Amino acid sequence: MSELTGTGQLTRLALRRDRVLLPGWIAVFVFGVVSSSYATVDLYPTEASRVSAASAVNDVPSIVALYGRVWDPTSLGALATFKMSGVVAALLAVFATILVVRHTRAEEESGRLEMLGATVVGRRASLTAALLLVFGTMLVVGGLTAIGQIAAGLPASGSWAFGLSWTLTGMVFACVAAVTAQLTISARSANGLALAFLAIAYILRGVGDVRGGAGGPAFWSWLSPIGWGQQVRPYAGDRWWVFLLPAVFCVVATWVAFRFASRRDLAAGLFPDRVGRSTGSRWLASPLGLAWRQQRGVLAAWAVGYVVLGYLLGTVASDVGSLLDSEQAREMIAKLGGTHVLTDAFFAAEFGIAAFITTAYGISAVMRLHTEESSGRAEPILSCPVPRTRWLASHTLIAVVGTTVLTLLLGVTAATANAFQQGTSDRMGSIIGAAFVQLPAVWIFAALTVAVFGVMPRFALAGWAVLVGFVLVQELGTLWNLPHWVLSTSPFDHTPSLPGSEMAWTPVGVMVLCSGCLVVIGAVAFRRRDIATH
């Protein structure tokens, strides 16, 4: 029996398990980019209108950091896809990450892979099947996207370049997830490490694009897989040679993943489990202490990433006024009140992106509840004199405190770095407040995950789907001509745009209240339903 025996059967099993999930998400991504292209064709029919719109993007560093540059202002395709190659490509990377971990580390954690391994299944079959599934999915997404772009009237060469950039971006992060799945013993930790890598990659791309300019990005962008996809420059030169970077990365990362897989035991990770100290037994006797022990490592890793992220944001924000390339943009900013207006816009935009990332951590932390129940570890805990609501509240509290700590680190680090660059600390409070105002929207998603877990644990992953859906609505709703009431369903749409505007307490209070109600609904439902047994 070879190490790949059973790969075909496992691939078919994965396709059967995801027969609803895969077509749904493929349709979401393809529809998003194709509909955006159709809308752009109608909005900017002339070259002059396209140049004006592209200048409005390229002349504002906060928008460049958020989405990237429009490399050819006269190109309709470049204008139509500049958001897709940034934010939406990152969402595609999230989807690829979750899919790989779902069919590798999650299968080991639940014990299903051990049962399959007792049959005629090779050691590398599971990882190979997962990568084949995701690689095939990315090829379908890229191919259908290119065909849709061509149908929208965009050039064929640029359409295939864009589709392939999406395909390889998804493959890169699938390979990253394959590596992280070998490092830890839990699916949640594997997802957390891979998403942290994605967050760093996105920020590096943003910093590189802002510090670069119209001539090309700075060195930082070339360190980012998201930056590689954008530097292909579909519809703006179609630089096919850039595809060598993600292709080589995929080969190396896949080799590393298989090497790691061969060096560890089934259901174990390369990061060894540490033996706890006897002095901690009293603390571990409480549900909160156990939840903290289970989640502190991942939170610490995220915290380090957020300190780095805050430093980068604070440093770049201090230079945005000097990065304006056009005299018209400088005059506009001067009329608005000076370069601090541009700095405020930059912080508001970047903290908005960070809120999406923080939300991912919050959902992941709450998902520990589902992991503990589905693996059978919750049953012995709840068989002791531990109330169900107390156990649920422990992990919920970790999610709330964790998101708050990450936001605090981001705000304080960004404000401190900006203060050192500017030589004044007058605006530190407003910058930190701008980071904190994002928290109520973040808590909404964590609370929604708690509610779904309590009511319908089989659909606990719905929190991820809702997050991706709202991000798409937030970024593409205007292009899709969605009515205002649809746009306003996103919690992020109600977050005050700080610093630089007045604080609106009503929407913040409503979101906090809604979060509390969702947690109560989840707790009540969890008390009344059966616990999954194994």
Side-chain angles (χ1 to χ4, degrees):
M1 183 180 72
S2 74
E3 291 188 326
L4 297 178
T5 300
T7 299
Q9 291 87 337
L10 289 181
T11 303
R12 289 194 293 272
L13 175 61
L15 285 170
R16 180 174 177 78
R17 288 184 61 196
D18 293 337
R19 61 187 181 276
V20 176
L21 177 69
L22 289 181
W25 280 113
I26 290 172
V28 167
F29 284 111
V30 174
F31 171 78
V33 68
V34 174
S35 62
S36 175
S37 299
Y38 274 103
T40 304
V41 170
D42 295 334
L43 285 174
Y44 307 105
T46 66
E47 181 175 311
S49 63
R50 294 193 289 271
V51 171
S52 177
S55 297
V57 173
N58 293 337
D59 291 342
V60 182
S62 59
I63 299 180
V64 172
L66 186 59
Y67 301 114
R69 289 187 176 274
V70 181
W71 292 108
D72 183 358
T74 65
S75 170
L76 183 63
L79 185 61
T81 58
F82 82 98
K83 283 188 177 183
M84 300 297 169
S85 59
V87 173
V88 183
L91 293 179
L92 187 66
V94 172
F95 175 60
T97 296
I98 294 174
L99 204 56
V100 169
V101 174
R102 168 180 167 85
H103 291 287
T104 53
R105 175 53 62 181
E107 291 293 280
E108 291 188 49
E109 190 175 9
S110 65
R112 286 189 292 267
L113 191 57
E114 184 177 5
M115 292 188 291
L116 290 172
T119 62
V120 187
V121 174
R123 183 179 181 85
R124 299 187 177 185
S126 174
L127 179 56
T128 305
L131 289 176
L132 286 176
L133 173 71
V134 180
F135 285 1
T137 301
M138 295 302 112
L139 285 170
V140 171
V141 169
L144 291 179
T145 296
I147 294 172
Q149 297 285 74
I150 295 172
L154 299 181
S157 177
S159 298
W160 287 112
F162 178 82
L164 186 56
S165 71
W166 259 26
T167 294
L168 286 176
T169 298
M171 287 182 175
V172 163
F173 285 95
C175 294
V176 171
V179 173
T180 61
Q182 314 308 315
L183 300 179
T184 66
I185 62 172
S186 72
R188 186 185 57 84
S189 297
N191 278 324
L193 290 175
L195 293 177
F197 180 87
L198 171 60
I200 293 173
Y202 201 92
I203 295 302
L204 286 175
R205 192 279 312 158
V207 171
D209 284 357
V210 170
R211 287 197 173 276
F219 171 74
W220 301 103
S221 289
W222 291 104
L223 298 178
S224 167
I226 299 293
W228 299 339
Q230 292 186 329
Q231 290 311 307
V232 173
R233 300 188 185 180
Y235 309 106
D238 301 338
R239 303 196 298 181
W240 298 92
W241 63 268
V242 178
F243 287 127
L244 289 174
L245 295 174
V248 171
F249 184 96
C250 286
V251 171
V252 173
T254 301
W255 178 82
V256 170
F258 279 111
R259 289 288 293 176
F260 284 176
S262 65
R263 292 173 177 270
R264 66 177 182 83
D265 295 329
L266 186 67
L270 287 183
F271 291 163
D273 297 335
R274 295 187 302 170
V275 178
R277 297 176 299 176
S278 60
T279 54
S281 58
R282 181 174 301 177
W283 170 243
L284 291 178
S286 69
L288 180 59
L290 179 60
W292 166 248
R293 184 64 175 266
Q294 290 171 327
Q295 305 215 38
R296 65 182 183 181
V298 175
L299 179 57
W302 278 75
V304 172
Y306 266 59
V307 169
V308 175
L309 172 59
Y311 172 77
L312 292 174
L313 294 183
T315 303
V316 173
S318 63
D319 297 331
V320 293
S322 63
L323 296 172
L324 295 173
D325 295 326
S326 69
E327 186 63 32
Q328 294 83 355
R330 294 189 185 97
E331 292 177 358
M332 177 188 70
I333 295 302
K335 291 178 181 179
L336 289 175
T339 56
H340 72 275
V341 175
L342 198 62
T343 303
D344 289 345
F346 178 85
F347 274 123
E350 295 304 314
F351 286 157
I353 293 178
F356 295 143
I357 302 171
T358 310
T359 301
Y361 168 80
I363 293 174
S364 176
V366 173
M367 284 296 295
R368 184 76 190 201
L369 291 165
H370 182 258
T371 300
E372 293 296 292
E373 182 182 11
S374 61
S375 64
R377 292 191 292 268
E379 185 180 1
I381 294 176
L382 296 176
S383 65
C384 301
V386 175
R388 290 191 181 191
T389 53
R390 187 180 175 190
W391 179 73
L392 180 141
S394 64
H395 288 279
T396 304
L397 182 60
I398 294 296
V400 173
V401 172
T403 54
T404 304
V405 168
L406 294 178
T407 302
L408 176 63
L409 289 174
L410 178 68
V412 170
T413 309
T416 303
N418 184 256
F420 273 110
Q421 292 287 325
Q422 299 285 2
T424 176
S425 59
D426 293 344
R427 305 186 68 247
M428 286 188 64
S430 62
I431 295 173
I432 296 173
F436 263 99
V437 81
Q438 305 288 337
L439 274 175
V442 172
W443 291 339
I444 282 279
F445 289 91
L448 177 62
T449 307
V450 173
V452 175
F453 167 76
V455 177
M456 296 177 294
R458 290 180 55 191
F459 300 97
L461 287 172
W464 292 110
V466 173
L467 173 61
V468 172
F470 278 137
V471 171
L472 289 174
V473 168
Q474 187 82 10
E475 300 300 328
L476 305 177
T478 303
L479 278 176
W480 292 344
N481 291 321
L482 295 179
H484 177 72
W485 69 266
V486 175
L487 298 177
S488 63
T489 58
S490 170
F492 298 108
D493 188 60
H494 300 281
T495 299
S497 183
L498 299 179
S501 63
E502 294 295 328
M503 176 62 185
W505 291 102
T506 300
V508 170
V510 170
M511 285 191 284
V512 172
L513 180 61
C514 289
S515 299
C517 292
L518 287 170
V519 170
V520 171
I521 291 172
V524 171
F526 182 60
R527 286 184 59 189
R528 296 180 177 180
R529 69 171 176 84
D530 293 332
I531 299 294
T533 57
H534 299 266

